[in-house]
Amino acid sequence: MNWLSSSQGVVLTAYHPSGKDQAVVGDHGKGGEEATASRKYGQYTMNQEITKVPEKPPFDRSSSQDSLDELSMEPYWMEIENIEKSSENRQAQEVVVVKEPDEGELEEEWLKEAGLSNLFGESAGDSQESMVFLSTLTRTQAAAVQKRVETVSQTLRKKNKQYQIPDVRDIFAQQRESKEKVPDGINSQSVRTNENKYQGKDDQASSLVVGEKELIPLVPEEAPASETNINLDVSFAEQAVNQKESSKEKAQKSKDCDAPLSNFRCPKDKTGITRIGDLAPQDMKKVGRLALIELTALYDVLGIELKQQRAVKIKTKDSGLFCIPLTVLLEQDQRKVPGTRIPLIFQKLISRIEEGGLETEGLLRIPGAAGRIKNLCQELEAKFYEGTFNWESVKQHDAASLLKLFIRELPQPLLSVEYLKAFQAVQNLPTRKQQLQALNLLVILLPDANRDTLKALLEFLQRVIDNREKNKMTTMNVAMVMAPNLFMCHTLGLKSNEQREFFMAAGTANIMHLLIKCQQVLWTIPKFIVNQVRKQNSENHRKDKKAMKKLLKKMAYDREKYEKQDKNTSDADVPEGVIRVQAPHLSKVSMAIQLTEELKASDVLARFLSQESGIAQTLKKGEVFLYEIGGNIGERCLDDDTYMKDLYQLNPNAGWVIKSKPS
């Protein structure tokens, strides 16, 4: 039965992905009897270009279905078989592959998404915002932009379109003149020193090897504990360049690949860690553009081809629960429950699984009966929003199967069509730390609905793993079960071969493992990107202020009077070393607070909350937050461990407000 039968009448029009993926395959050992069985799994493709490879013996998979050994891929293949069984009664999709976009078109789309569309075509010009944006890029980010602009330029010239395309090499001249420097005044030697400081220890780990490529470092759950910090202060691509230039690169690569996954963490920063959701939308837009450029630069430095795929054109149902785009489903849910960010059916399925107890052995691995799942789907479609569906009749394993079905039948993958190939390409990065850095940037790039749903899923999977002593579902077991549901894309009907399938199985299980174990790191916005946003805001404010002064002078206003008024507004009569914190929704609406070396954001909140009475006294930690507003940032929610004096020195013109987070 073909994978394309997994949806109900959804008509897809898809763009065939361009570019060739690297196919690194090799000897898989013995296991002749498995060869025939595994070919049927080839129907399920990973949305990758296929490169012709020589025939090799199949990989030897464990024959015991009860084996939960960390080195066995058996749970992955069992999940594939379960997916096939559950899809036998699903109606086939119609998939049409249309004209492949050329490289120039893809690079144009990349520049548009990076906010640099004015660098080519009819809209080319000296945009102030783009020039400020470009001036804040690192040398590797600048090189990534320059490479794309030159590709577009060549494509347009071939098409005989007489567009004026600016040569961005002049913009980046300053970066080329100081090769030893990286942003914020840090030289390359200090980067190497800083990077060496954060390296992990050499630990023993078993790996799955395909040919000459080490695919998955399968780390036992009882691996020796050690901690490896992720350096968020310096561009990931710059770190990769300096690592390649280092004479210890080979030894370091070995160490980094063996570091235990569970012990990667973000080091504490005195100005506070910034997480996704902490910044205002206007700053998050800048973060997204910088994350795209940084991801591309990282892949360029490491020699990995990154081709962003065009979004597919899809004709889907406009209501229902399954086979509905996330955005449409959320609009539908928000009419029932305003402010909903995660689909209600998704939340309810997780809730139902947890009601049955997370100690159940084989949870997520053991499937529900295919016929029963089909009937439950139909009943849910008819009764869920009416509130008449009987959830007591849903068995725990059925709820788990429905959850996985919901994920894989999304018309657009949860990891998004645009970035699914980039997620898959993470397996080709040479070190685990670089894989984690790439995943961090990719999570930032996901649409809000996809990112919020993915976060809820990963948090649930971690709760399942926390009960592994009883349910026998370790991190790698869960990763192998969930990988096919997230990484199989039924959008394109591409055929695979057996050896490539093993490569993709191992690689995607490894990526899933990283997503689960390191999810706290993944939802952090790197400090170097936040600093670039601050620099952009400062430059734009400076230019806007300069333009305003010229306008005022032209209108015959007294310039000195304006400057005095502007100074008084920013200073607000607050003595040096003192900040005024506003709390418009609390009984104590304003308070002047003396800055000290040890004063934290949590201390400021505590002073306000200690003076609350009545209804406001019920406010608890985590319900209201201290915000940094204005100056060189739009709006930023501070974590409790932010040292206020250090942040004040970074953004002296900011305002400070206590309020709740928007839902």
Side-chain angles (χ1 to χ4, degrees):
M1 193 66 185
N2 194 288
W3 165 251
L4 300 181
S5 64
S6 64
S7 185
Q8 297 178 338
V10 178
V11 178
L12 306 179
T13 303
Y15 288 97
H16 194 290
S18 63
K20 300 290 182 184
D21 292 329
Q22 298 176 350
V24 184
V25 296
D27 197 357
H28 301 296
K30 297 180 181 181
E33 291 183 0
E34 294 290 341
T36 302
S38 63
R39 286 191 183 93
K40 69 182 179 180
Y41 304 135
Q43 305 171 41
Y44 302 94
T45 64
M46 299 296 179
N47 196 13
Q48 295 277 340
E49 290 285 348
I50 307 305
T51 302
K52 187 175 181 181
V53 295
E55 290 295 329
K56 298 286 182 181
F59 178 74
D60 184 15
R61 298 195 295 270
S62 169
S63 59
S64 172
Q65 292 188 355
D66 295 327
S67 171
L68 294 176
D69 190 292
E70 288 292 320
L71 304 184
S72 169
M73 289 296 293
E74 187 65 22
Y76 184 96
W77 304 114
M78 287 174 61
E79 183 66 16
I80 292 288
E81 189 171 357
N82 293 334
I83 291 173
E84 182 186 38
K85 289 178 181 178
S86 69
S87 66
E88 288 179 354
N89 296 320
R90 312 298 284 175
Q91 188 176 346
Q93 300 172 323
E94 179 184 350
V95 177
V96 180
V97 178
V98 299
K99 179 182 176 293
E100 220 179 271
D102 60 35
E103 187 176 17
E105 290 173 331
L106 289 172
E107 304 297 26
E108 281 187 25
E109 292 182 7
W110 185 93
L111 287 166
K112 287 177 182 177
E113 187 169 349
L116 297 171
S117 57
N118 66 303
L119 295 183
F120 66 91
E122 295 175 330
S123 61
D126 183 20
S127 166
Q128 172 185 314
E129 186 176 354
S130 291
M131 294 305 107
V132 168
F133 183 87
L134 290 169
S135 70
T136 65
L137 300 184
T138 67
R139 57 178 178 174
T140 48
Q141 291 173 347
V145 172
Q146 182 174 333
K147 180 179 177 181
R148 273 78 200 167
V149 171
E150 289 175 348
T151 300
V152 172
S153 177
Q154 291 170 6
T155 303
L156 293 177
R157 277 195 287 269
K158 286 178 183 178
K159 293 180 179 179
N160 296 318
K161 294 186 177 180
Q162 304 300 317
Y163 292 150
Q164 182 67 31
I165 303 168
D167 190 341
V168 295
R169 287 174 291 188
D170 295 335
I171 300 170
F172 305 130
Q174 186 175 358
Q175 282 92 336
R176 292 199 304 273
E177 289 171 2
S178 53
K179 293 182 180 178
E180 295 302 314
K181 292 184 179 180
V182 293
D184 302 323
I186 304 173
N187 60 44
S188 60
Q189 183 60 42
S190 67
V191 173
R192 294 191 187 97
T193 303
N194 204 12
E195 182 65 10
N196 290 336
K197 175 183 175 183
Y198 291 125
Q199 303 311 331
K201 297 179 181 179
D202 193 4
D203 300 297
Q204 295 295 322
S206 300
S207 300
L208 176 61
V209 178
V210 176
E212 298 178 354
K213 184 174 181 64
E214 186 175 347
L215 286 177
I216 292 188
L218 295 172
V219 183
E221 299 295 325
E222 65 275 12
S226 65
E227 290 189 344
T228 302
N229 286 345
I230 297 296
N231 185 356
L232 301 178
D233 294 347
V234 179
S235 157
F236 299 153
E238 294 290 338
Q239 292 180 42
V241 167
N242 287 303
Q243 183 177 335
K244 290 178 72 174
E245 292 173 353
S246 170
S247 59
K248 298 179 181 178
E249 177 190 0
K250 187 174 180 180
Q252 170 52 36
K253 176 179 176 179
S254 174
K255 289 181 182 180
D256 191 70
C257 280
D258 290 339
L261 287 178
S262 58
N263 294 301
F264 279 112
R265 68 179 185 87
C266 298
K268 290 290 185 181
D269 181 80
K270 284 203 162 187
T271 58
I273 293 174
T274 306
R275 297 178 179 84
I276 293 172
D278 286 349
L279 295 179
Q282 64 268 30
D283 282 340
M284 270 307 295
K285 187 175 182 180
K286 296 184 179 81
V287 167
R289 291 172 174 177
L290 287 164
L292 175 61
I293 296 173
E294 177 66 18
L295 177 70
T296 308
L298 178 63
Y299 277 42
D300 284 353
V301 168
L302 298 174
I304 305 297
E305 187 176 34
L306 174 62
K307 290 293 183 184
Q308 184 180 346
Q309 190 169 316
R310 279 182 170 177
V312 292
K313 299 176 181 177
I314 301 175
K315 183 179 180 181
T316 62
K317 299 182 297 181
D318 56 6
S319 64
L321 297 175
F322 298 90
C323 307
I324 304 294
L326 271 179
T327 51
V328 175
L329 189 56
L330 283 173
E331 288 173 3
Q332 191 173 267
D333 289 349
Q334 286 165 0
R335 289 194 287 270
K336 298 283 184 180
V337 182
T340 299
R341 298 174 62 92
I342 300 163
L344 296 177
I345 181 63
F346 190 85
Q347 295 182 52
K348 185 59 182 177
L349 287 170
I350 288 177
S351 175
R352 182 59 187 158
I353 296 169
E354 294 186 325
E355 285 171 6
L358 296 180
E359 301 85 8
T360 305
E361 186 169 344
L363 187 62
L364 296 176
R365 178 172 58 86
I366 298 175
R372 197 163 60 237
I373 297 302
K374 179 185 176 184
N375 292 335
L376 285 171
C377 281
Q378 293 173 348
E379 195 175 349
L380 277 166
E381 293 277 9
K383 299 180 179 179
F384 179 73
Y385 285 115
E386 294 179 359
T388 58
F389 181 78
N390 180 18
W391 282 100
E392 296 298 323
S393 66
V394 181
K395 298 180 180 179
Q396 190 181 33
H397 290 303
D398 290 348
S401 293
L402 286 167
L403 180 71
K404 292 186 289 186
L405 179 69
F406 173 86
I407 293 168
R408 66 176 180 269
E409 287 205 346
L410 288 170
Q412 302 278 12
L414 186 59
L415 300 180
S416 81
V417 168
E418 294 89 343
Y419 297 110
L420 182 61
K421 288 183 69 179
F423 271 99
Q424 292 167 345
V426 167
Q427 65 186 295
N428 298 323
L429 301 184
T431 71
R432 182 176 290 139
K433 182 178 289 186
Q434 288 164 346
Q435 291 176 351
L436 184 56
Q437 290 170 339
L439 287 174
N440 179 204
L441 296 169
L442 282 164
V443 166
I444 292 173
L445 286 168
L446 286 176
D448 290 346
N450 298 61
R451 191 194 306 122
D452 292 338
T453 305
L454 177 64
K455 189 173 190 293
L457 174 65
L458 295 179
E459 289 172 347
F460 163 68
L461 296 179
Q462 186 57 58
R463 293 195 293 273
V464 172
I465 293 163
D466 290 341
N467 291 272
R468 59 185 172 273
E469 294 297 326
K470 292 185 178 180
N471 62 32
K472 309 302 181 187
M473 295 300 291
T474 63
T475 307
M476 186 51 72
N477 297 146
V478 172
M480 286 189 284
V481 168
M482 295 305 300
N485 294 284
L486 264 75
F487 287 93
M488 282 182 184
C489 184
H490 54 265
T491 302
L492 299 175
L494 302 179
K495 294 182 179 180
S496 183
N497 58 46
E498 184 180 338
Q499 290 177 337
R500 184 163 188 79
E501 193 176 335
F502 287 129
F503 177 81
M504 291 303 299
T508 55
N510 182 39
I511 297 166
M512 195 72 224
H513 195 192
L514 275 166
L515 286 169
I516 297 169
K517 292 296 290 184
C518 303
Q519 53 185 287
Q520 295 303 319
V521 176
L522 298 178
W523 261 260
T524 302
I525 302 176
K527 182 180 177 180
F528 71 89
I529 288 182
V530 177
N531 285 344
Q532 286 180 290
V533 171
R534 290 184 185 277
K535 187 174 180 182
Q536 288 177 31
N537 290 338
S538 294
E539 287 297 310
N540 283 325
H541 290 333
R542 184 180 63 81
K543 292 190 175 184
D544 290 343
K545 188 174 180 180
K546 186 176 180 181
M548 179 60 71
K549 285 183 178 181
K550 286 183 178 179
L551 178 63
L552 292 173
K553 186 176 181 181
K554 187 175 180 180
M555 295 173 66
Y557 278 95
D558 186 345
R559 182 174 178 179
E560 292 182 359
K561 182 179 179 180
Y562 167 76
E563 289 179 340
K564 182 178 179 181
Q565 182 182 7
D566 183 69
K567 182 178 180 181
N568 289 339
T569 301
S570 61
D571 292 344
D573 297 326
V574 177
E576 186 70 23
V578 175
I579 59 172
R580 182 163 293 281
V581 181
Q582 307 293 332
H585 301 297
L586 302 182
S587 57
K588 182 75 173 179
V589 297
S590 179
M591 186 186 296
I593 296 179
Q594 178 70 48
L595 294 174
T596 65
E597 296 292 338
E598 300 302 318
L599 181 72
K600 295 183 179 181
S602 58
D603 301 325
V604 175
L605 282 170
R607 292 189 191 183
F608 273 87
L609 296 180
S610 65
Q611 300 187 29
E612 292 302 300
S613 58
I615 297 176
Q617 200 170 28
T618 62
L619 287 171
K620 299 177 182 178
K621 181 181 177 182
E623 293 183 0
V624 290
F625 302 86
L626 179 59
Y627 278 78
E628 166 196 8
I629 299 177
N632 55 34
I633 204 76
E635 186 175 288
R636 175 172 171 255
C637 181
L638 305 183
D639 76 70
D640 286 344
D641 292 329
T642 302
Y643 285 84
M644 298 305 298
K645 187 172 183 179
D646 293 87
L647 182 57
Y648 173 79
Q649 291 170 349
L650 180 65
N651 189 8
N653 294 320
W656 313 95
V657 178
I658 293 176
K659 62 177 184 174
S660 59
K661 255 188 178 180
S663 58

